[in-house]
Amino acid sequence: MKSNVKINPLAIDAVNHIKNICLPLVSCQICFSAQVYAFSFILCAQENKLINNEFKGRVKHIIDGLFLFLQEKYTSAIYVILPQLDGIIKDQLLNTGIITETKGYPIGTKKSTKPNKPYKNIKELLEEGIKNPYSKIGKTVQDIKYEEKHLEKVRQLRNETLHGSRAELQKHDAVDVIHLLNALYHDLELYEVTKASQNKTTNGN
């Protein structure tokens, strides 16, 4: 990513409006962060920037879900976005040779921490990605953390959306999904950008 791009003063002013005017007015800053992450992802996708890897084939569906989220249609947003994230995580582990497909659940290869063991849900796949050095998941420095309580919440949401056991989901459920989306986007699509930035800092440049 170019660091010498000249930023228009109007663009800077618009960002300052969000920071200095909108942010102090919101009732939940965690929810507000999810709205900003959603807008940021949509902008990158519309500009066809930084959408190259596991996200590439799924981006149009994710954008549909993000617009639903911004329209406060939280249940519909989760039903659209969460299956795509499940697929993205599985694709990352398949592409890196950590798991292999079977007629049932995917199973671990010799590269996995659980060779020949099945991965039965999104939480187990995420945990493998985070622990496994072959995967990019969880390998970038960011403010969103893959905490146990968050992973368990996502597992429950994925189970509920698979079986339709909850007719209505809440705003904070959707916020958890958007934060997972942003964490994965950071790890899988911004990995090279972030790695280059970290190397610069390490080298003292």
Side-chain angles (χ1 to χ4, degrees):
M1 187 181 295
K2 295 179 180 178
S3 59
N4 58 346
V5 174
K6 186 176 180 180
I7 307 297
N8 188 284
L10 285 176
I12 295 173
D13 184 60
V15 172
N16 286 335
H17 267 257
I18 294 174
K19 178 182 176 182
N20 299 324
I21 297 175
C22 298
L23 184 55
L25 297 176
V26 301
S27 57
C28 176
Q29 294 189 5
I30 300 297
C31 297
F32 180 76
S33 71
Q35 293 171 319
V36 175
Y37 287 141
F39 175 78
S40 174
F41 185 93
I42 291 169
L43 181 62
C44 286
Q46 289 178 336
E47 294 292 328
N48 199 26
K49 304 290 185 183
L50 303 173
I51 308 286
N52 302 304
N53 300 316
E54 285 84 2
F55 277 76
K56 191 170 185 179
R58 302 174 183 274
V59 67
K60 62 182 180 180
H61 305 301
I62 293 172
I63 289 176
D64 287 343
L66 291 175
F67 277 121
L68 289 168
F69 172 72
L70 293 173
Q71 294 166 4
E72 300 183 354
K73 298 176 181 178
Y74 302 121
T75 301
S76 298
I78 292 170
Y79 270 87
V80 172
I81 296 172
L82 192 52
Q84 301 305 320
L85 300 187
D86 197 350
I88 284 167
I89 296 161
K90 185 186 290 185
D91 287 348
Q92 161 67 192
L93 299 187
L94 285 168
N95 292 343
T96 48
I98 295 170
I99 62 172
T100 186
E101 292 275 30
T102 69
K103 291 182 179 180
Y105 296 113
I107 62 170
T109 67
K110 291 180 179 179
K111 285 186 174 182
S112 78
T113 62
K114 301 193 302 183
N116 300 315
K117 300 293 184 181
Y119 292 84
K120 297 181 179 180
N121 56 61
I122 189 172
K123 181 183 178 185
E124 291 183 359
L125 290 167
L126 264 173
E127 288 174 334
E128 177 63 38
I130 293 164
K131 290 185 292 187
N132 197 300
Y134 293 104
S135 170
K136 291 180 180 178
I137 296 173
K139 307 303 188 295
T140 60
V141 178
Q142 57 176 307
D143 288 327
I144 298 175
K145 309 299 182 187
Y146 296 99
E147 297 176 345
E148 167 62 27
K149 62 180 181 180
H150 186 203
L151 300 186
E152 178 58 24
K153 177 73 176 294
V154 167
R155 185 197 67 77
Q156 291 175 0
L157 282 172
R158 183 63 177 127
N159 187 60
E160 289 165 352
T161 55
L162 275 170
H163 300 290
S165 56
R166 279 174 66 188
E168 288 295 326
L169 298 164
Q170 303 305 312
K171 181 177 183 178
H172 280 93
D173 296 327
V175 167
D176 285 337
V177 171
I178 301 301
H179 283 161
L180 176 60
L181 163 65
N182 195 70
L184 289 169
Y185 178 61
H186 199 280
D187 286 340
L188 303 182
E189 298 293 343
L190 304 183
Y191 180 81
E192 295 300 325
V193 176
T194 306
K195 188 172 71 172
S197 175
Q198 289 171 3
N199 287 343
K200 267 189 178 181
T201 304
T202 303
N203 296 333
N205 295 329

